[in-house]
Amino acid sequence: MKRILLLQTGGTISMQFETDGVVLDPARWSQVLYQQMPELTQIADITIENVFFEDSSDINPEHWKILGELIYKRLQNYDGFVVLHGTDTMAYTASALSFALNPINKPVIFTGSQVPMSNIRSDARRNLVNAIELATYPIHEVAVCFNDHLFRGNRSTKMSIGDFNAFESPNFPPLAEIGINIKLSADVMINSSVSATCNTHFSDAIHVIKVHPAINTRALDCLDLSTFKALIIEAFGIGNMPVKGHYNMLPFIKKCRDHHCHVIITSQAAYDAVNLDIYSSGRAVKELGGLSAGEMTMEAAITKTMHLLGQNLEEEVFNSKFMGNLTGERTVTESNTGKR
Ligand code: ASP
């Protein structure tokens, strides 16, 4: 039987319904798990480790570090890892760990649920059974298992608050579809011959801005540029933003670049890729040194930036690594991007 380490970090899957909402109750969680899911022991030899109990909105880079280093430390002792995690920031943690544990030669499968496990109509049982089963497969990457799908961790994003189908990977096909049988895609990474590495340095010296038609550029001007080394702009569509009148973003971008701050352009649209070559606004940003995040999810763009900043790279090296593919998070680079 395969040996699986089940790492508990919290989230709705581990919460209980109380009169005033759902709450985290570490002690009751393990009771519920064993009472409700005795069949888990038929899938694998499972060891449970409680790493932390958090609503995932409180998970931050320090938790990524603890989790990444723990998985790395236990790598030789287990065939696979399942991480129970809240859905709100699951895609961030999965993306971060994909960069921290690169390469990895064991499956690291994140899962959670929309409804606590103790509830009768919960998605927790199905997600957990699927995740544990998938953790016995030769999947050598960090992935998210939700609602009968397995997604690459750094391609996944939470799309729904109220639907069991909470996650998608908009620009990359699922790694597996789970029906009567589990069908693995040919895209699944298999790195059996490589030794895994672990690098959990993430810098939080980033700032994220969402563009809108009345963006307050005076407020941007008040930002203290010594507090961040990368600015991530969630732009319109293919990477455009206002470049006229009061709302012109270009002076602020120039100011950031003059302070050697990386400027990264992502999109408010989930599907397809940013391309700064198409419209004059994008070309102006590119001219100032703005980098396209291609088709990366926001979660991947943020955690990749934090990971690269954590390595203290020269600007050119940062740029080429950011524009390149580190671990399956992007395939589209500026030269081949475009509207499909
Ligand atoms: N707030 C919860 C969390 O992210 C939501 C969930 O798990 O679905 O921890």
Side-chain angles (χ1 to χ4, degrees):
M1 232 184 196
K2 293 274 172 87
R3 288 160 307 157
I4 304 299
L5 182 60
L6 180 62
L7 296 166
Q8 169 62 276
T9 76
T12 294
I13 193 164
S14 318
M15 295 186 188
Q16 305 287 325
F17 272 112
E18 301 285 346
T19 41
D20 50 352
V22 282
V23 294
L24 268 173
D25 182 343
R28 272 201 284 163
W29 175 77
S30 338
Q31 281 170 15
V32 170
L33 180 75
Y34 288 118
Q35 276 162 12
Q36 306 217 345
M37 303 195 61
E39 71 275 23
L40 283 184
T41 51
Q42 291 169 30
I43 312 174
D45 174 4
I46 301 166
T47 305
I48 300 176
E49 206 163 325
N50 294 326
V51 194
F52 23 82
F53 278 89
E54 298 286 359
D55 183 299
S56 75
S57 44
D58 271 320
I59 297 246
N60 60 49
E62 282 166 32
H63 297 94
W64 303 343
K65 183 175 166 60
I66 293 170
L67 199 53
E69 287 173 4
L70 183 66
I71 292 171
Y72 186 66
K73 208 162 117 196
R74 304 272 191 270
L75 221 42
Q76 302 317 317
N77 305 336
Y78 295 95
D79 299 299
F81 298 82
V82 172
V83 182
L84 296 184
H85 197 289
T87 60
D88 290 343
T89 65
M90 190 187 294
Y92 285 94
T93 308
S95 297
L97 288 204
S98 78
F99 298 117
L101 299 167
N102 176 27
I104 179 117
N105 47 21
K106 299 274 167 76
V108 177
I109 314 290
F110 278 73
T111 198
S113 68
Q114 292 282 58
V115 177
M117 188 178 286
S118 52
N119 192 281
I120 294 171
R121 288 194 60 254
S122 170
D123 51 337
R125 295 168 60 89
R126 181 164 52 119
N127 288 345
L128 184 52
V129 167
N130 286 342
I132 291 177
E133 175 114 36
L134 282 161
T136 67
Y137 278 60
I139 297 167
H140 298 161
E141 56 177 300
V142 179
V144 167
C145 175
F146 222 88
N147 197 45
D148 292 343
H149 286 89
L150 184 74
F151 302 108
R152 177 162 292 163
N154 56 35
R155 295 286 191 149
S156 66
T157 191
K158 182 171 175 176
M159 297 291 263
S160 171
I161 301 166
D163 200 300
F164 284 150
N165 197 20
F167 285 85
E168 273 185 44
S169 95
N171 294 312
F172 198 73
L175 294 179
E177 309 227 354
I178 305 154
I180 293 174
N181 298 310
I182 292 182
K183 277 188 246 143
L184 279 196
S185 115
D187 294 315
V188 169
M189 290 186 202
I190 300 182
N191 301 312
S192 343
S193 56
V194 302
S195 322
T197 60
C198 179
N199 180 340
T200 55
H201 296 290
F202 289 95
S203 164
D204 61 3
I206 59 160
H207 190 66
V208 181
I209 292 172
K210 183 168 188 143
V211 168
H212 58 89
I215 187 142
N216 187 336
T217 47
R218 292 178 309 281
L220 296 181
D221 255 340
C222 298
L223 290 172
D224 178 355
L225 295 188
S226 69
T227 60
F228 54 94
K229 295 196 184 112
L231 172 73
I232 300 180
I233 301 177
E234 199 182 358
F236 301 129
I238 204 160
N240 293 338
M241 62 190 75
V243 291
K244 289 185 179 168
H246 299 310
Y247 306 113
N248 182 1
M249 300 271 300
L250 295 175
F252 177 63
I253 291 177
K254 176 158 187 331
K255 190 169 151 192
C256 289
R257 295 295 301 133
D258 289 345
H259 280 78
H260 306 287
C261 175
H262 305 279
V263 174
I264 287 155
I265 312 300
T266 65
S267 177
Q268 291 169 26
Y271 288 89
D272 299 322
V274 168
N275 183 343
L276 301 178
D277 291 328
I278 305 297
Y279 294 94
S280 59
S281 132
R283 287 194 294 271
V285 171
K286 189 170 174 177
E287 189 68 23
L288 291 172
L291 299 177
S292 159
E295 88 278 40
M296 280 191 282
T297 59
M298 192 63 180
E299 294 88 337
I302 289 178
T303 54
K304 184 177 184 177
T305 303
M306 294 172 71
H307 167 72
L308 293 177
L309 285 179
Q311 321 308 310
N312 286 323
L313 306 168
E314 295 292 327
E315 169 146 351
E316 262 179 40
V317 182
F318 178 102
N319 290 356
S320 82
K321 285 193 185 276
F322 186 83
M323 295 301 289
N325 170 29
L326 298 184
T327 178
E329 76 283 4
R330 82 184 283 172
T331 42
V332 180
T333 57
E334 200 74 318
S335 51
N336 65 359
T337 185
K339 278 181 174 174
R340 280 190 236 142

